[in-house]
PDB file of all heavy atoms in Angstrom:
ATOM      1  N   LEU O 230      14.001  -5.325   5.098  1.00  0.00           N
ATOM      2  CA  LEU O 230      14.608  -4.023   4.835  1.00  0.00           C
ATOM      3  C   LEU O 230      16.031  -3.952   5.390  1.00  0.00           C
ATOM      4  O   LEU O 230      16.958  -3.479   4.723  1.00  0.00           O
ATOM      5  CB  LEU O 230      13.760  -2.907   5.439  1.00  0.00           C
ATOM      6  CG  LEU O 230      12.521  -2.472   4.655  1.00  0.00           C
ATOM      7  CD1 LEU O 230      11.734  -1.440   5.457  1.00  0.00           C
ATOM      8  CD2 LEU O 230      12.907  -1.897   3.299  1.00  0.00           C
ATOM      9  N   VAL O 231      16.202  -4.435   6.613  1.00  0.00           N
ATOM     10  CA  VAL O 231      17.534  -4.403   7.241  1.00  0.00           C
ATOM     11  C   VAL O 231      18.501  -5.323   6.500  1.00  0.00           C
ATOM     12  O   VAL O 231      19.637  -4.939   6.194  1.00  0.00           O
ATOM     13  CB  VAL O 231      17.432  -4.798   8.727  1.00  0.00           C
ATOM     14  CG1 VAL O 231      18.824  -4.926   9.339  1.00  0.00           C
ATOM     15  CG2 VAL O 231      16.615  -3.773   9.503  1.00  0.00           C
ATOM     16  N   LEU O 232      18.043  -6.544   6.188  1.00  0.00           N
ATOM     17  CA  LEU O 232      18.889  -7.487   5.458  1.00  0.00           C
ATOM     18  C   LEU O 232      19.241  -6.940   4.078  1.00  0.00           C
ATOM     19  O   LEU O 232      20.370  -7.103   3.608  1.00  0.00           O
ATOM     20  CB  LEU O 232      18.178  -8.835   5.321  1.00  0.00           C
ATOM     21  CG  LEU O 232      18.032  -9.671   6.594  1.00  0.00           C
ATOM     22  CD1 LEU O 232      17.124 -10.872   6.345  1.00  0.00           C
ATOM     23  CD2 LEU O 232      19.402 -10.140   7.087  1.00  0.00           C
ATOM     24  N   GLY O 233      18.277  -6.299   3.447  1.00  0.00           N
ATOM     25  CA  GLY O 233      18.516  -5.755   2.114  1.00  0.00           C
ATOM     26  C   GLY O 233      19.576  -4.674   2.112  1.00  0.00           C
ATOM     27  O   GLY O 233      20.452  -4.640   1.234  1.00  0.00           O
ATOM     28  N   ARG O 234      19.505  -3.784   3.098  1.00  0.00           N
ATOM     29  CA  ARG O 234      20.524  -2.735   3.187  1.00  0.00           C
ATOM     30  C   ARG O 234      21.909  -3.336   3.416  1.00  0.00           C
ATOM     31  O   ARG O 234      22.898  -2.917   2.795  1.00  0.00           O
ATOM     32  CB  ARG O 234      20.179  -1.769   4.327  1.00  0.00           C
ATOM     33  CG  ARG O 234      18.966  -0.892   4.092  1.00  0.00           C
ATOM     34  CD  ARG O 234      19.170   0.141   3.021  1.00  0.00           C
ATOM     35  NE  ARG O 234      20.275   1.049   3.313  1.00  0.00           N
ATOM     36  CZ  ARG O 234      20.675   2.017   2.501  1.00  0.00           C
ATOM     37  NH1 ARG O 234      20.078   2.184   1.333  1.00  0.00           N
ATOM     38  NH2 ARG O 234      21.667   2.815   2.821  1.00  0.00           N
ATOM     39  N   SER O 235      21.972  -4.324   4.296  1.00  0.00           N
ATOM     40  CA  SER O 235      23.261  -4.983   4.562  1.00  0.00           C
ATOM     41  C   SER O 235      23.771  -5.698   3.315  1.00  0.00           C
ATOM     42  O   SER O 235      24.972  -5.668   3.008  1.00  0.00           O
ATOM     43  CB  SER O 235      23.112  -5.981   5.720  1.00  0.00           C
ATOM     44  OG  SER O 235      22.731  -5.324   6.908  1.00  0.00           O
ATOM     45  N   PHE O 236      22.856  -6.353   2.592  1.00  0.00           N
ATOM     46  CA  PHE O 236      23.240  -7.063   1.372  1.00  0.00           C
ATOM     47  C   PHE O 236      23.810  -6.091   0.339  1.00  0.00           C
ATOM     48  O   PHE O 236      24.833  -6.372  -0.307  1.00  0.00           O
ATOM     49  CB  PHE O 236      22.032  -7.806   0.801  1.00  0.00           C
ATOM     50  CG  PHE O 236      22.297  -8.471  -0.521  1.00  0.00           C
ATOM     51  CD1 PHE O 236      23.085  -9.608  -0.602  1.00  0.00           C
ATOM     52  CD2 PHE O 236      21.777  -7.943  -1.693  1.00  0.00           C
ATOM     53  CE1 PHE O 236      23.345 -10.218  -1.827  1.00  0.00           C
ATOM     54  CE2 PHE O 236      22.031  -8.536  -2.921  1.00  0.00           C
ATOM     55  CZ  PHE O 236      22.808  -9.684  -2.986  1.00  0.00           C
ATOM     56  N   LEU O 237      23.174  -4.931   0.170  1.00  0.00           N
ATOM     57  CA  LEU O 237      23.677  -3.944  -0.788  1.00  0.00           C
ATOM     58  C   LEU O 237      25.053  -3.436  -0.385  1.00  0.00           C
ATOM     59  O   LEU O 237      25.930  -3.238  -1.236  1.00  0.00           O
ATOM     60  CB  LEU O 237      22.697  -2.777  -0.900  1.00  0.00           C
ATOM     61  CG  LEU O 237      21.377  -3.061  -1.621  1.00  0.00           C
ATOM     62  CD1 LEU O 237      20.469  -1.835  -1.584  1.00  0.00           C
ATOM     63  CD2 LEU O 237      21.611  -3.492  -3.060  1.00  0.00           C
ATOM     64  N   ASN O 238      25.245  -3.220   0.907  1.00  0.00           N
ATOM     65  CA  ASN O 238      26.561  -2.765   1.377  1.00  0.00           C
ATOM     66  C   ASN O 238      27.635  -3.797   1.050  1.00  0.00           C
ATOM     67  O   ASN O 238      28.736  -3.459   0.590  1.00  0.00           O
ATOM     68  CB  ASN O 238      26.530  -2.501   2.884  1.00  0.00           C
ATOM     69  CG  ASN O 238      25.742  -1.253   3.239  1.00  0.00           C
ATOM     70  OD1 ASN O 238      25.573  -0.358   2.411  1.00  0.00           O
ATOM     71  ND2 ASN O 238      25.241  -1.188   4.466  1.00  0.00           N
ATOM     72  N   GLU O 239      27.325  -5.072   1.288  1.00  0.00           N
ATOM     73  CA  GLU O 239      28.295  -6.136   1.015  1.00  0.00           C
ATOM     74  C   GLU O 239      28.494  -6.341  -0.477  1.00  0.00           C
ATOM     75  O   GLU O 239      29.583  -6.689  -0.926  1.00  0.00           O
ATOM     76  CB  GLU O 239      27.836  -7.445   1.672  1.00  0.00           C
ATOM     77  CG  GLU O 239      27.911  -7.431   3.194  1.00  0.00           C
ATOM     78  CD  GLU O 239      29.335  -7.222   3.695  1.00  0.00           C
ATOM     79  OE1 GLU O 239      30.274  -7.805   3.102  1.00  0.00           O
ATOM     80  OE2 GLU O 239      29.524  -6.464   4.659  1.00  0.00           O
ATOM     81  N   ALA O 240      27.433  -6.144  -1.259  1.00  0.00           N
ATOM     82  CA  ALA O 240      27.551  -6.308  -2.709  1.00  0.00           C
ATOM     83  C   ALA O 240      28.556  -5.315  -3.289  1.00  0.00           C
ATOM     84  O   ALA O 240      29.238  -5.609  -4.279  1.00  0.00           O
ATOM     85  CB  ALA O 240      26.191  -6.134  -3.371  1.00  0.00           C
ATOM     86  N   ASN O 241      28.636  -4.129  -2.683  1.00  0.00           N
ATOM     87  CA  ASN O 241      29.551  -3.093  -3.167  1.00  0.00           C
ATOM     88  C   ASN O 241      30.911  -3.127  -2.487  1.00  0.00           C
ATOM     89  O   ASN O 241      31.789  -2.318  -2.815  1.00  0.00           O
ATOM     90  CB  ASN O 241      28.922  -1.710  -2.966  1.00  0.00           C
ATOM     91  CG  ASN O 241      27.693  -1.503  -3.832  1.00  0.00           C
ATOM     92  OD1 ASN O 241      27.665  -1.908  -4.980  1.00  0.00           O
ATOM     93  ND2 ASN O 241      26.660  -0.879  -3.274  1.00  0.00           N
TER      94      ASN O 241
END
Side-chain angles (χ1 to χ4, degrees):
L230 280 175
V231 173
L232 289 171
R234 291 291 301 178
S235 298
F236 175 72
L237 288 177
N238 288 337
E239 290 299 320
N241 294 320

